[in-house]
Amino acid sequence: MIWLLWLSLAISVVVHWIYKVNRDYCVLAFFARRVRTKDGKPLESIVPITKGRTICANSFDLYGKDAAQVFSHLRQLAQTYHESYLQYGLGFSNYNVTDAHNAGNILNHPNLITKSYIYNFLHPFLRTGVLTATEKKWHTRRSMLARTFHFDILNQFQEIFVAESLKFIQHFEGQNECVVSLRDRITIFTLNSICETAMGVKLDEMAEKGDRYREMFHRIDEGFTRRISNPLYWDDCAYNLFAARDYASALKVVHAFSSEIIAKRRVLLEEELEYRRATQTADDDICVARKKRFAMLDTLICAEKDGLIDNIGICEEVDTLMAEGHDTTSIGLVFGLMNMSLYAEHQELCFQEIQEHIEDDLSNLNLGQLHKLTHLTNFLKETMRLYPSIPIMGRQTIEETELDNGLILPKGSQINLHVFDIHRNPKYWDSPDEFRPERFLPENCQKRHTYAFIPFSAGQRNCIGQKYAMQEMKTLIVVLLKQFKILPVIDPKSIVFQTGLTLRFKDKIKVKLVRRKCD
């Protein structure tokens, strides 16, 4: 009987310990440290806490769900609570932000620049480039790349955007009308554009490798979503043991492609150097101002010469620029052209505006003229409001952090900024599901919260390529509308969205192109 007494005593001690620990940690959520309030008010008076599917809080909420079900689950939570909400799972407290005020507070917080834990899932692909890097490394890489998006350099890229846009419509030469699967065609355009502008390498002779890159990029995207929805794969050891091998070949292909791009650009720079030496037009510094078009990759190669980055670092940034530069912009264009097909009156307004400012031979299709296309700008902004390329962004706390709403987030808390839901929050948008480009007229923006519209993020870690993306999207649409009317093929209500690296959709989005008749 003594052993029963000791057992009872031991159980009592353990239960007491768990009870005491559970005040600071959500024990069943794998000891996730609890969020608390500044003045000791009940947590639920500031933020609702969601109930999980199992006794392990929210740890297994996404388990077994596919990419579409994950996306739908997140949207249902936003619609259920109508405000930012809190979850506990897998050892983390998760603060989910669906309102502009808290989004602005977080995006501008000086101690909240570290990306959330799930960005670690991108390390096999992007390693720690500017998207995933933290602290000093991020500051260094950011300042290194930011100068390459200067107006003068973007202006040099316009010739490429026009040329690639003309290549895009050449696919339909001789056809008066045709149905186009947008994603298939547009990703070719955006990948070609980012490689020739940012990398300084044409893909004309690497078309097959470009196709293979896009195919493997999609495979990596699937792996990312698979890891998000399976808590067993959040641990690197378990993932590497049971799942990583499924994506090893895809990673090999995309890294080989970017390495070849870098090697080709090195050769081109060396050829230019040899030419300049032979003609004695300058010294042997390849990094001084040149008459030839500047490529963003040149900045990295020059930085390597100065000892500021190594070859692995160059690979990191090239992989990041290629992935972000072609994928996010393609999403904007897919939905932009879909909306052109659905809203004929706005398409006509855009066309008339283009006719007013852009010559038919495209000879004046430059940045100055693009800036005059105000309705097209508002059209694209409204498209990005409804269909943001990055529907969720993440941050994490590196120390205990107090927010201005009275929440105190413990170290290691995950903060999920639900851009998709902020953009459709009825608090900031009247009839949020309706497509209304006039929302972005100056007089309609004055009273709206600054952070109600954040398609390119905001604050310190905003997208450095947002002007580049807008320039590229506008150019293709101008060239396309000059020759074609865009008619609808699909019902937007039939679109099944999916979670991924960017906004995904299950079925193909198509439009019909009808050649304009000459007057």
Side-chain angles (χ1 to χ4, degrees):
M1 296 296 293
I2 294 294
W3 68 271
L4 284 176
L5 182 62
W6 281 108
L7 180 61
S8 299
L9 181 61
I11 292 174
S12 297
V13 170
V14 170
V15 169
H16 177 73
W17 176 77
I18 290 176
Y19 176 78
K20 187 175 180 180
V21 169
N22 200 55
R23 288 182 297 181
D24 297 320
Y25 296 85
C26 186
V27 174
L28 293 177
F30 301 95
F31 291 90
R33 188 181 289 274
R34 292 187 183 276
V35 175
R36 54 193 177 85
T37 60
K38 179 181 178 181
D39 53 10
K41 290 194 303 185
L43 189 60
E44 291 83 349
S45 67
I46 297 178
V47 59
I49 305 173
T50 68
K51 185 177 180 180
R53 290 172 60 187
T54 68
I55 62 170
C56 297
N58 306 106
S59 297
F60 297 94
D61 284 5
L62 301 181
Y63 183 73
K65 296 184 184 295
D66 62 23
Q69 291 169 331
V70 170
F71 188 93
S72 177
H73 174 77
L74 296 176
R75 303 291 75 76
Q76 288 172 1
L77 286 173
Q79 292 168 12
T80 299
Y81 293 102
H82 303 291
E83 58 182 321
S84 299
Y85 57 93
L86 191 65
Q87 295 175 311
Y88 293 105
L90 299 173
F92 298 111
S93 59
N94 295 275
Y95 183 40
N96 294 276
V97 177
T98 61
D99 69 282
H101 174 77
N102 283 306
N105 183 23
I106 288 158
L107 291 170
N108 288 297
H109 199 293
N111 296 328
L112 292 177
I113 63 170
T114 300
K115 294 296 182 74
S116 60
Y117 184 82
I118 63 169
Y119 284 76
N120 294 350
F121 302 167
L122 295 175
H123 286 174
F125 176 26
L126 305 179
R127 288 159 285 202
T128 51
V130 70
L131 175 66
T132 53
T134 58
E135 302 303 321
K136 185 177 179 181
K137 184 174 183 178
W138 169 74
H139 282 286
T140 301
R141 297 286 178 84
R142 169 85 183 200
S143 60
M144 187 182 299
L145 291 170
R147 68 178 73 107
T148 66
F149 288 92
H150 188 272
F151 176 86
D152 293 337
I153 295 173
L154 292 177
N155 208 33
Q156 293 181 30
F157 294 160
Q158 186 58 26
E159 181 182 346
I160 296 171
F161 289 145
V162 172
E164 291 299 331
S165 298
L166 290 171
K167 284 183 191 176
F168 180 89
I169 64 172
Q170 280 175 6
H171 289 289
F172 319 116
E173 191 172 354
Q175 301 179 64
N176 288 324
E177 58 181 62
C178 57
V179 174
V180 181
S181 177
L182 291 174
R183 187 68 190 272
D184 299 338
R185 289 292 183 188
I186 285 176
T187 52
I188 296 173
F189 165 77
T190 55
L191 184 61
N192 286 357
S193 295
I194 193 68
C195 284
E196 191 169 351
T197 55
M199 308 305 151
V201 174
K202 289 187 177 183
L203 293 189
D204 294 349
E205 298 178 359
M206 300 173 63
E208 274 189 41
K209 292 181 179 179
D211 293 340
R212 186 70 173 155
Y213 173 88
R214 290 190 300 275
E215 180 185 347
M216 292 301 100
F217 182 89
H218 180 68
R219 180 79 178 127
I220 291 169
D221 189 19
E222 290 176 346
F224 176 76
T225 305
R226 178 184 176 190
R227 195 169 181 184
I228 286 177
S229 60
N230 189 340
L232 300 177
Y233 291 155
W234 279 52
D235 177 72
D236 286 341
C237 291
Y239 176 77
N240 291 333
L241 185 62
F242 297 109
R245 67 173 69 92
D246 296 339
Y247 308 101
S249 60
L251 288 169
K252 185 176 180 180
V253 169
V254 296
H255 287 154
F257 182 72
S258 60
S259 294
E260 185 172 351
I261 293 289
I262 295 168
K264 283 181 176 291
R265 188 60 194 173
R266 288 186 187 277
V267 170
L268 291 172
L269 282 174
E270 185 60 31
E271 288 175 353
E272 181 182 341
L273 173 60
E274 290 298 325
Y275 173 79
R276 293 169 64 190
R277 284 171 177 162
T279 56
Q280 297 182 343
T281 55
D283 59 23
D284 62 354
D285 185 357
I286 65 173
C287 300
V288 298
R290 308 193 307 274
K291 291 183 179 179
K292 289 191 176 181
R293 187 184 296 118
F294 184 87
M296 295 175 189
L297 178 51
D298 298 348
T299 296
L300 300 175
I301 295 174
C302 292
E304 181 187 36
K305 182 181 178 183
D306 295 334
L308 301 176
I309 194 172
D310 57 15
N311 186 62
I312 293 297
I314 293 176
C315 291
E316 290 176 338
E317 300 309 336
V318 168
D319 284 326
T320 300
L321 282 170
M322 285 177 56
E324 287 195 280
H326 99 274
D327 190 41
T328 56
T329 310
S330 71
I331 299 298
L333 280 167
V334 165
F335 287 105
L337 295 179
M338 181 195 76
N339 281 336
M340 281 287 177
S341 75
L342 296 171
Y343 304 101
E345 69 280 14
H346 290 296
Q347 181 181 164
E348 182 61 23
L349 287 172
C350 288
F351 175 68
Q352 293 301 330
E353 185 178 58
I354 289 167
Q355 289 298 89
E356 179 183 353
H357 296 291
I358 309 296
E359 300 293 339
D360 287 343
D361 62 2
L362 309 178
S363 58
N364 69 333
L365 182 47
N366 53 45
L367 275 177
Q369 296 303 103
L370 287 178
H371 288 323
K372 296 178 182 179
L373 305 179
T374 55
H375 192 74
L376 178 57
T377 298
N378 294 339
F379 184 97
L380 286 172
K381 285 182 177 180
E382 179 67 348
T383 295
M384 291 185 291
R385 180 187 71 82
L386 285 170
Y387 309 106
S389 294
I390 308 294
I392 300 178
M393 299 179 291
R395 299 285 189 273
Q396 67 176 311
T397 59
I398 58 174
E399 60 186 20
E400 185 174 89
T401 303
E402 180 182 327
L403 303 181
D404 70 352
N405 62 358
L407 290 182
I408 298 177
L409 304 181
K411 179 180 178 180
S413 295
Q414 306 299 300
I415 304 171
N416 304 306
L417 299 158
H418 294 262
V419 178
F420 194 95
D421 300 303
I422 294 171
H423 283 188
R424 294 176 184 239
N425 190 327
K427 183 177 180 180
Y428 315 109
W429 308 97
D430 179 43
S431 301
D433 293 329
E434 292 184 10
F435 184 81
R436 299 180 184 174
E438 61 272 16
R439 298 180 197 271
F440 292 94
L441 291 171
E443 59 270 25
N444 293 332
C445 295
Q446 292 175 357
K447 295 183 180 180
R448 186 182 303 135
H449 198 291
T450 303
Y451 295 92
F453 180 66
I454 48 173
F456 296 107
S457 188
Q460 294 182 77
R461 297 202 76 153
N462 68 337
C463 176
I464 59 177
Q466 54 187 289
K467 291 181 180 179
Y468 175 99
M470 289 295 288
Q471 179 183 353
E472 182 179 8
M473 289 190 289
K474 285 182 181 180
T475 301
L476 178 62
I477 291 173
V478 166
V479 173
L480 191 59
L481 287 185
K482 278 283 188 181
Q483 296 200 27
F484 293 96
K485 287 185 178 181
I486 308 174
L487 303 182
V489 172
I490 70 161
D491 181 353
K493 294 180 182 178
S494 69
I495 298 174
V496 177
F497 291 107
Q498 298 175 316
T499 293
L501 293 172
T502 55
L503 184 62
R504 297 292 183 231
F505 39 90
K506 187 175 181 180
D507 300 314
K508 292 184 177 181
I509 294 178
K510 299 180 180 181
V511 298
K512 184 176 183 179
L513 301 182
V514 177
R515 195 172 295 276
R516 295 182 185 275
K517 296 179 181 179
C518 297
D519 294 332

